Amino acid sequence: MVNPVPVVKDVVFQNLLDDPYPSYDRIRNLASAVWVDSARINLVTRFDDIMEVERNHAVFASTNPKSLMNKVMGHSLMRKDDELHQIERKALEPSFRPGVVKKHWGPIFSDIADRLISAFEDKGEADLFKDFAGPMASYALIELLGFKSDVAWQDISLWSQSLMDAVGNYSTDPGITARGKAAAGAIETEIDRVLGYHTENENPSILSSIAHAEHKHSIEQIRANVNVVVGGGLNEPRDSILTLIYGLLLNPNQLARVQKEKRLFATAFEEAVRWVSPIGMYPRRVTQDTVLGDTQLKEGDQIGICIGAANRDPSHFDDPSVFDINRPRQQHLAFGGGPHFCAGTWVAKQMVGEIAVPMIFDRLKNLRLHGSRPVIENGWVFRGPTSLPVQWDV
Ligand code: HEM
């Protein structure tokens, strides 16, 4: 039976930030799409419904003239569909090909991880958020973009956070919008500084790929897509580094297995991003009246695709809240689906699952959670540990 979208008024926004999973379970049991008052959007939480949305971008479009993302970052590929999207996506591809990632970016990521670990490995304790995962993802992104190492990791980290805060600023707080625009301005200055170099010297960086694309990009297109990469290419690898380390530290038997059989780090990475998906939700716009599962949607409705919830849908995953690298290999949605499937997937797999996390466990002997400082996790649109205190033997 098809029903109008039910309205839920008692999901507290802070609860979504602290731990969204109980709310997701409740919403998933209610209907295919549920209006959640505190989030001001219709949330879609079931795996099969999300697959249907991702297969039909004519009805569930990424293009959205009212998008907050467009206002802060400019009109990037993420808010385009069909040919306009494909042209800009193709421009990025040379930097993200699996061979380029392995041969070119792999050694660069290894050097960054090595340098960071060397700076604290004799200390016996660290917060892996600020001492490792944050700078690791930031330095990697500076290299990937082609900012030529002149940007401080704290700066790009702040720009990324400010952009994402502004994109998710549904309460329209003017301070958050202003910080997002300031970040976009700083990124613009950085692009202006290095674009000439990349135009004259073709190389694997993202700015070079865009500058040499078959379809010539306007400066606005370049800025918008670089903003998307700054916003979307930092916190996800950072958060998945931490989630993977946390998942393994909570499960010593699984850790022992991956340490014995190093190729299993790649499997463990997939399980980590299923377990706590770094991007928990992204939006789509309904272009015509349509039925999704058991729910009637109307033209113009905004829907929030909760991949963080779909990746814990019990109709697809046994014991979905458990981190288990031994579960059967199954498709998950942490990198999205359809035409906007994450462009940086191979970068993330290489950086996190092949380099940063194996190196941490290799170098820090008897790595364990800190005896007296708690792990803190936060977020639902973006989720991951914001503090991961650990200790090891020195
Ligand atoms: C574990 C790490 C990562 C996860 C879980 C992740 C997840 C995602 C998801 C779910 C989307 C789809 C969003 C949507 O459809 O609205 C996406 C898109 C995208 N991601 Fe990632 N991402 C990760 C790492 C990266 C990295 C490292 C980069 C670049 C350096 C990157 C660049 C992009 C870009 C450019 C898009 C837009 C693709 C398009 O619109 O065609 N991502 N990512």
Coordinates of all heavy atoms in Angstrom, one line a residue, residues 161-208:
Q161 N 36.4 22.0 6.5 CA 35.3 22.0 7.5 C 34.4 23.1 7.3 O 33.2 23.0 7.4 CB 36.0 22.1 8.9 CG 35.1 21.7 10.0 CD 34.5 20.3 9.9 OE1 35.2 19.3 9.8 NE2 33.2 20.2 9.9
S162 N 34.9 24.3 7.0 CA 34.1 25.5 6.9 C 33.1 25.3 5.7 O 31.9 25.7 5.7 CB 34.9 26.8 6.6 OG 35.8 26.9 7.7
L163 N 33.6 24.8 4.6 CA 32.8 24.5 3.4 C 31.7 23.5 3.7 O 30.5 23.7 3.4 CB 33.6 24.0 2.2 CG 34.5 24.9 1.5 CD1 35.3 24.2 0.4 CD2 33.7 26.1 0.8
M164 N 32.0 22.4 4.4 CA 31.0 21.4 4.7 C 30.0 21.9 5.7 O 28.8 21.6 5.6 CB 31.7 20.1 5.2 CG 32.6 19.4 4.3 SD 32.2 19.6 2.5 CE 30.8 18.5 2.3
D165 N 30.5 22.7 6.7 CA 29.5 23.3 7.6 C 28.5 24.2 6.9 O 27.3 24.2 7.2 CB 30.2 24.2 8.7 CG 31.0 23.3 9.7 OD1 30.8 22.1 9.7 OD2 31.9 23.8 10.4
A166 N 29.0 25.0 6.0 CA 28.2 25.9 5.2 C 27.2 25.2 4.3 O 26.0 25.5 4.2 CB 29.0 26.9 4.4
V167 N 27.6 24.1 3.7 CA 26.8 23.3 2.9 C 25.6 22.6 3.7 O 24.5 22.4 3.2 CB 27.6 22.2 2.1 CG1 26.8 21.1 1.5 CG2 28.5 22.9 1.0
G168 N 26.0 22.3 4.9 CA 24.9 21.6 5.8 C 24.2 22.6 6.7 O 23.5 22.3 7.6
N169 N 24.3 23.9 6.3 CA 23.8 25.0 7.2 C 22.3 25.2 7.0 O 21.9 26.3 6.6 CB 24.6 26.3 7.0 CG 24.2 27.4 7.9 OD1 23.6 27.2 8.9 ND2 24.5 28.6 7.5
Y170 N 21.5 24.2 7.3 CA 20.1 24.2 7.0 C 19.4 25.3 7.9 O 18.3 25.8 7.6 CB 19.4 22.9 7.2 CG 19.9 21.9 6.1 CD1 20.8 20.9 6.3 CD2 19.4 22.0 4.8 CE1 21.2 20.0 5.3 CE2 19.8 21.1 3.8 CZ 20.7 20.2 4.1 OH 21.1 19.3 3.1
S171 N 20.0 25.6 9.0 CA 19.4 26.6 9.9 C 19.8 28.0 9.5 O 19.4 29.0 10.1 CB 19.9 26.4 11.4 OG 21.3 26.6 11.4
T172 N 20.5 28.1 8.3 CA 20.9 29.4 7.7 C 21.6 30.4 8.7 O 21.4 31.6 8.6 CB 19.8 30.1 7.0 OG1 18.7 30.4 7.9 CG2 19.2 29.3 5.9
D173 N 22.4 29.9 9.6 CA 23.2 30.7 10.5 C 24.2 31.6 9.7 O 25.0 31.0 8.9 CB 24.0 29.8 11.4 CG 24.9 30.5 12.4 OD1 25.5 31.5 12.0 OD2 25.1 30.0 13.5
P174 N 24.1 32.9 9.7 CA 25.0 33.8 8.9 C 26.5 33.6 9.1 O 27.3 33.7 8.2 CB 24.5 35.2 9.2 CG 23.7 35.1 10.4 CD 23.2 33.7 10.6
G175 N 26.8 33.3 10.4 CA 28.3 33.1 10.7 C 28.9 32.0 9.9 O 30.0 32.0 9.4
I176 N 28.1 30.9 9.9 CA 28.6 29.6 9.2 C 28.7 29.9 7.7 O 29.7 29.5 7.1 CB 27.6 28.5 9.5 CG1 27.6 28.1 11.0 CG2 27.9 27.3 8.6 CD1 26.7 27.0 11.4
T177 N 27.7 30.6 7.1 CA 27.8 30.9 5.7 C 29.0 31.8 5.4 O 29.7 31.6 4.5 CB 26.5 31.7 5.3 OG1 25.4 30.9 5.6 CG2 26.4 31.9 3.8
A178 N 29.2 32.8 6.3 CA 30.4 33.7 6.1 C 31.7 32.9 6.1 O 32.6 33.2 5.3 CB 30.4 34.8 7.1
R179 N 31.8 32.0 7.1 CA 33.1 31.2 7.1 C 33.2 30.3 5.9 O 34.3 30.2 5.4 CB 33.1 30.4 8.4 CG 33.4 31.2 9.7 CD 33.8 30.3 10.9 NE 32.6 29.6 11.4 CZ 31.7 30.1 12.2 NH1 31.8 31.4 12.6 NH2 30.7 29.4 12.6
G180 N 32.1 29.8 5.4 CA 32.2 29.0 4.2 C 32.6 29.8 3.0 O 33.5 29.4 2.2
K181 N 32.1 31.0 2.9 CA 32.5 31.9 1.8 C 33.9 32.3 1.9 O 34.7 32.4 0.9 CB 31.5 33.1 1.7 CG 30.2 32.6 1.3 CD 29.3 33.8 0.7 CE 28.1 33.2 -0.1 NZ 27.0 34.0 -0.1
A182 N 34.4 32.6 3.1 CA 35.8 32.9 3.3 C 36.7 31.8 2.9 O 37.8 32.0 2.3 CB 36.1 33.3 4.8
A183 N 36.3 30.6 3.2 CA 37.1 29.4 2.8 C 37.2 29.3 1.3 O 38.2 29.1 0.7 CB 36.5 28.1 3.4
A184 N 36.0 29.5 0.6 CA 36.0 29.4 -0.9 C 36.9 30.5 -1.4 O 37.6 30.3 -2.4 CB 34.6 29.6 -1.4
G185 N 36.9 31.7 -0.8 CA 37.8 32.8 -1.2 C 39.3 32.4 -1.1 O 40.1 32.7 -2.0
A186 N 39.6 31.8 0.0 CA 41.0 31.4 0.2 C 41.5 30.3 -0.8 O 42.6 30.4 -1.3 CB 41.2 30.8 1.7
I187 N 40.5 29.4 -1.1 CA 40.8 28.4 -2.1 C 41.0 29.0 -3.5 O 41.9 28.6 -4.3 CB 39.7 27.3 -2.1 CG1 39.7 26.6 -0.8 CG2 39.9 26.3 -3.3 CD1 38.5 25.8 -0.5
E188 N 40.2 30.0 -3.7 CA 40.3 30.7 -5.0 C 41.7 31.3 -5.2 O 42.3 31.3 -6.2 CB 39.2 31.8 -5.0 CG 38.7 32.3 -6.3 CD 37.5 33.2 -6.1 OE1 36.5 32.9 -5.5 OE2 37.7 34.4 -6.5
T189 N 42.2 32.0 -4.1 CA 43.5 32.6 -4.1 C 44.6 31.5 -4.4 O 45.5 31.7 -5.2 CB 43.8 33.2 -2.8 OG1 42.8 34.1 -2.4 CG2 45.1 34.0 -2.7
E190 N 44.4 30.4 -3.8 CA 45.4 29.3 -4.0 C 45.3 28.8 -5.4 O 46.4 28.5 -6.0 CB 45.0 28.2 -3.0 CG 46.1 27.1 -2.8 CD 47.5 27.7 -2.5 OE1 47.6 28.8 -1.8 OE2 48.4 27.1 -2.9
I191 N 44.1 28.6 -6.0 CA 44.0 28.2 -7.4 C 44.7 29.2 -8.3 O 45.5 28.8 -9.2 CB 42.5 28.0 -7.8 CG1 41.9 26.9 -7.0 CG2 42.4 27.8 -9.3 CD1 40.4 26.9 -7.2
D192 N 44.5 30.5 -8.1 CA 45.1 31.5 -8.9 C 46.6 31.4 -8.9 O 47.3 31.7 -9.8 CB 44.6 32.9 -8.5 CG 43.2 33.2 -8.8 OD1 42.6 32.4 -9.5 OD2 42.6 34.1 -8.2
R193 N 47.1 31.1 -7.7 CA 48.6 31.0 -7.5 C 49.2 29.9 -8.3 O 50.3 30.1 -8.8 CB 48.9 30.8 -6.0 CG 50.3 31.1 -5.6 CD 50.5 30.9 -4.1 NE 50.3 29.5 -3.6 CZ 51.1 28.6 -3.8 NH1 52.3 28.8 -4.3 NH2 50.8 27.3 -3.3
V194 N 48.5 28.8 -8.5 CA 49.2 27.6 -9.1 C 48.7 27.2 -10.5 O 49.3 26.4 -11.1 CB 49.2 26.4 -8.1 CG1 50.0 26.6 -6.9 CG2 47.8 26.0 -7.8
L195 N 47.5 27.8 -10.9 CA 46.9 27.3 -12.1 C 47.8 27.5 -13.3 O 47.9 26.6 -14.2 CB 45.5 28.0 -12.3 CG 44.7 27.4 -13.4 CD1 44.4 25.9 -13.2 CD2 43.4 28.2 -13.6
G196 N 48.5 28.6 -13.4 CA 49.4 28.8 -14.5 C 50.5 27.7 -14.6 O 50.7 27.1 -15.7
Y197 N 51.0 27.3 -13.5 CA 52.0 26.2 -13.5 C 51.4 24.9 -14.0 O 52.0 24.3 -14.9 CB 52.5 26.0 -12.0 CG 53.4 24.7 -11.9 CD1 54.7 24.8 -12.2 CD2 52.8 23.5 -11.6 CE1 55.5 23.6 -12.1 CE2 53.6 22.3 -11.6 CZ 54.9 22.4 -11.8 OH 55.7 21.3 -11.8
H198 N 50.2 24.6 -13.6 CA 49.6 23.3 -14.0 C 49.2 23.4 -15.5 O 49.2 22.3 -16.2 CB 48.4 22.9 -13.1 CG 48.9 22.6 -11.7 ND1 49.6 21.5 -11.5 CD2 48.7 23.2 -10.5 CE1 49.9 21.4 -10.2 NE2 49.3 22.5 -9.6
T199 N 48.9 24.5 -16.0 CA 48.5 24.7 -17.4 C 49.7 24.4 -18.3 O 49.7 23.8 -19.3 CB 47.9 26.1 -17.6 OG1 46.9 26.3 -16.7 CG2 47.3 26.2 -19.0
E200 N 50.9 24.9 -17.8 CA 52.1 24.7 -18.6 C 52.8 23.4 -18.3 O 53.6 22.9 -19.2 CB 53.1 25.9 -18.2 CG 52.7 27.1 -19.0 CD 53.4 28.3 -18.5 OE1 54.5 28.3 -17.9 OE2 52.7 29.4 -18.6
N201 N 52.6 22.8 -17.2 CA 53.3 21.5 -16.9 C 52.3 20.4 -16.6 O 51.8 20.3 -15.4 CB 54.2 21.7 -15.6 CG 55.2 22.8 -15.8 OD1 56.2 22.6 -16.4 ND2 54.8 24.0 -15.4
E202 N 51.9 19.6 -17.5 CA 50.9 18.5 -17.3 C 51.5 17.5 -16.3 O 52.7 17.1 -16.4 CB 50.6 17.8 -18.6 CG 49.4 17.0 -18.5 CD 48.8 16.5 -19.8 OE1 49.3 16.9 -20.9 OE2 47.8 15.8 -19.8
N203 N 50.7 17.1 -15.3 CA 51.1 16.2 -14.2 C 49.9 15.5 -13.7 O 48.8 15.9 -14.0 CB 51.9 17.0 -13.2 CG 51.0 18.1 -12.5 OD1 50.2 17.8 -11.7 ND2 51.2 19.4 -12.9
P204 N 50.0 14.6 -12.7 CA 48.8 13.8 -12.3 C 47.9 14.6 -11.3 O 46.9 14.0 -10.9 CB 49.4 12.6 -11.5 CG 50.8 12.5 -12.0 CD 51.3 13.9 -12.3
S205 N 48.2 15.8 -11.0 CA 47.4 16.5 -10.0 C 46.0 16.9 -10.6 O 45.8 16.9 -11.8 CB 48.0 17.8 -9.5 OG 48.0 18.8 -10.5
I206 N 45.0 17.1 -9.7 CA 43.7 17.4 -10.1 C 43.6 18.7 -10.9 O 42.9 18.8 -11.9 CB 42.7 17.4 -8.8 CG1 42.6 16.0 -8.3 CG2 41.4 18.0 -9.2 CD1 42.0 16.0 -6.9
L207 N 44.3 19.7 -10.4 CA 44.3 21.0 -11.2 C 44.9 20.8 -12.6 O 44.4 21.4 -13.5 CB 45.1 22.1 -10.4 CG 44.2 22.8 -9.4 CD1 45.1 23.7 -8.5 CD2 43.2 23.7 -10.1
S208 N 45.9 20.0 -12.7 CA 46.5 19.8 -14.0 C 45.4 19.0 -14.9 O 45.2 19.3 -16.0 CB 47.8 19.0 -13.9 OG 48.2 18.5 -15.2

